[in-house]
Amino acid sequence: MTKKVLPLENSAIELSEEETEEISSLETRLREIEAFSKDIQQYVDERSKGAEDKEILECRNAVIDACNETATRGIKDLNLKLEQIKRQSESGIYKIEMDLLNNLNPLFESGIYGANKAYSVNMKDMSLKGELKAKFSGMEYTSELTYAHDVLTVKEVYGELSLPTWTKSLFSKENKLKMIYVSEYTITSMNFDGDRHIDVSFENKKGEQKFKIVSDNDTYQIYHGDFDITSDETLLKSLDVDKIAALVEDVRKYMEMFIKSQTLTHILLDGKDAVRNNEVFDCLKLIAEQYGDIVRESLDKGYVKNEITIKIEASDGTRTEKYITKEEAFDQLAELGSEGLELASILGVD
């Protein structure tokens, strides 16, 4: 990954430096034209001060007009050139930034070890769209997500579920407890903060009946519209809390495991755009730090001396291994020059 993105970041730095140099040169020329025009006008004013002859005054005015016209034209041309350079540079830098994000995407797609990952999923244009925000060590990255289902029901994510609520009786003004079957309801939003908070909202096809389940620290609140079902002792007795807990857990699993595509959109370092500020390599060093301890433990406790081994268990139970020697890892990183040697030191393979 470093081999792919370092040349891109270096080209972005070079392009940015060229732009800065060109802009600085043009801005200097603009200042010189404005200063020269001002000096000429002051000189002519001083030389013609007190003059009453028509010819001298006409000459004075002609010089000032000619100076103004030429300076204005020159300033306009330089400003147009300045805007053109900025547009071309911005276009070039934007292309490099997109290339960087596209190349980095596979690294971030499976998630960075140790990062806190928060998910936000909403129904947009009849399709589930999500966003992943992950944080670690002063770094944050954002990815756009699409999911396995365009339209997701409660039944598909969990199974059979009914929720209690009050309804008016046809023959009486008294409220009557009713269990509403919500399995066919469409999920409209899901959120998981990466820690203890999870919420899920769902509604019927007409959007007339809406429910929301909120979980914080294994406590649950269930809303039917604006009414809190869990605040009503009678309704609470008709609620199967185990089912609610299972639904919340399945919602979390769905957000994490049923991602169809993931596209990296932003990387922030200390709250600032790391790609725009050419700090991608600094981010790679932080990522390497996340794995450094694992690499060292693998080297210390591995079956083969100086070999890093990764054991992989697939969802169907199949187990495989991947391995690389410390020397091979170092040689590959050393090919990248000083940056690669720095990564090798962070990972503990130097």
Side-chain angles (χ1 to χ4, degrees):
M1 187 59 62
T2 305
K3 189 175 183 179
K4 289 180 180 180
V5 301
L6 270 181
L8 286 170
E9 180 157 82
N10 289 335
S11 64
I13 293 170
E14 186 178 339
L15 185 60
S16 180
E17 289 175 348
E18 288 175 358
E19 179 205 24
T20 301
E21 188 176 333
E22 286 189 82
I23 288 175
S24 177
S25 174
L26 287 172
E27 287 176 342
T28 299
R29 288 172 65 185
L30 282 166
R31 288 193 298 271
E32 288 174 349
I33 290 174
E34 290 170 347
F36 181 77
S37 176
K38 185 178 179 181
D39 289 345
I40 291 296
Q41 291 181 52
Q42 286 178 345
Y43 175 76
V44 173
D45 277 336
E46 288 174 3
R47 293 292 294 169
S48 60
K49 187 180 294 183
E52 296 180 357
D53 293 341
K54 175 184 175 183
E55 292 79 10
I56 293 176
L57 293 174
E58 286 179 348
C59 182
R60 167 193 174 278
N61 292 337
V63 169
I64 290 176
D65 289 345
C67 184
N68 278 334
E69 182 182 349
T70 305
T72 300
R73 185 169 61 248
I75 289 170
K76 182 180 178 181
D77 290 343
L78 286 176
N79 275 321
L80 287 172
K81 192 172 183 180
L82 189 63
E83 290 302 316
Q84 183 182 16
I85 288 172
K86 287 181 178 179
R87 284 196 302 269
Q88 289 175 344
S89 178
E90 179 64 27
S91 176
I93 289 173
Y94 178 78
K95 184 180 182 304
I96 293 172
E97 288 176 354
M98 292 302 101
D99 287 344
L100 274 166
L101 289 170
N102 288 336
N103 278 284
L104 286 166
N105 195 62
L107 177 64
F108 288 82
E109 200 167 11
S110 58
I112 304 301
Y113 175 78
N116 175 273
K117 301 168 194 172
Y119 297 81
S120 177
V121 184
N122 291 280
M123 175 69 73
K124 294 180 181 177
D125 301 324
M126 293 305 295
S127 180
L128 281 180
K129 303 291 184 184
E131 183 180 76
L132 163 66
K133 284 186 177 292
K135 298 179 181 180
F136 65 95
S137 302
M139 181 177 160
E140 178 180 327
Y141 63 91
T142 304
S143 294
E144 291 180 353
L145 310 173
T146 62
Y147 280 86
H149 296 78
D150 287 332
V151 179
L152 182 68
T153 65
V154 172
K155 189 173 186 177
E156 287 169 323
V157 77
Y158 169 69
E160 304 293 327
L161 182 67
S162 294
L163 296 175
T165 188
W166 293 114
T167 185
K168 292 285 186 182
S169 172
L170 290 174
F171 306 105
S172 170
K173 292 183 179 181
E174 293 182 1
N175 287 331
K176 181 180 179 182
L177 190 148
K178 179 182 178 182
M179 298 299 293
I180 298 181
Y181 181 70
V182 298
S183 296
E184 302 301 330
Y185 281 32
T186 300
I187 291 177
T188 55
S189 72
M190 299 179 282
N191 295 284
F192 173 44
D193 71 351
D195 185 21
R196 307 294 290 177
H197 175 90
I198 299 175
D199 64 68
V200 54
S201 298
F202 43 92
E203 61 184 39
N204 63 357
K205 288 182 179 180
K206 294 182 179 181
E208 299 167 341
Q209 299 284 349
K210 298 182 180 181
F211 288 88
K212 182 175 183 179
I213 297 175
V214 180
S215 171
D216 285 292
N217 297 317
D218 297 327
T219 62
Y220 306 98
Q221 285 180 292
I222 303 172
Y223 296 90
H224 180 207
D226 294 328
F227 176 66
D228 184 357
I229 292 173
T230 45
S231 67
D232 188 301
E233 291 185 8
T234 303
L235 295 180
L236 191 58
K237 291 176 182 178
S238 301
L239 193 66
D240 190 332
V241 178
D242 290 339
K243 283 189 174 183
I244 299 302
L247 168 62
V248 168
E249 179 62 17
D250 285 346
V251 164
R252 181 189 64 78
K253 288 179 180 178
Y254 185 91
M255 284 188 279
E256 292 179 333
M257 300 173 64
F258 284 81
I259 297 169
K260 184 168 67 175
S261 68
Q262 180 172 328
T263 304
L264 184 66
T265 57
H266 294 95
I267 304 173
L268 301 180
L269 185 60
D270 296 327
K272 297 179 180 178
D273 191 329
V275 178
R276 175 53 61 104
N277 294 331
N278 300 314
E279 295 176 326
V280 170
F281 181 66
D282 292 322
C283 293
L284 291 177
K285 290 193 289 184
L286 286 175
I287 294 169
E289 286 179 5
Q290 298 294 107
Y291 293 94
D293 290 340
I294 297 174
V295 170
R296 292 183 182 88
E297 186 173 351
S298 181
L299 289 170
D300 291 341
K301 300 180 179 180
Y303 301 119
V304 181
K305 185 180 179 182
N306 288 341
E307 185 175 271
I308 303 160
T309 305
I310 302 170
K311 295 183 178 183
I312 304 164
E313 183 172 347
S315 56
D316 63 0
T318 305
R319 295 183 179 182
T320 57
E321 285 188 352
K322 289 193 176 188
Y323 56 88
I324 185 172
T325 66
K326 180 179 178 180
E327 291 74 20
E328 287 173 325
F330 176 80
D331 289 344
Q332 288 187 31
L333 289 166
E335 290 176 6
L336 305 176
S338 59
E339 291 94 343
L341 293 173
E342 192 171 358
L343 289 177
S345 177
I346 293 171
L347 287 168
V349 296
D350 55 344

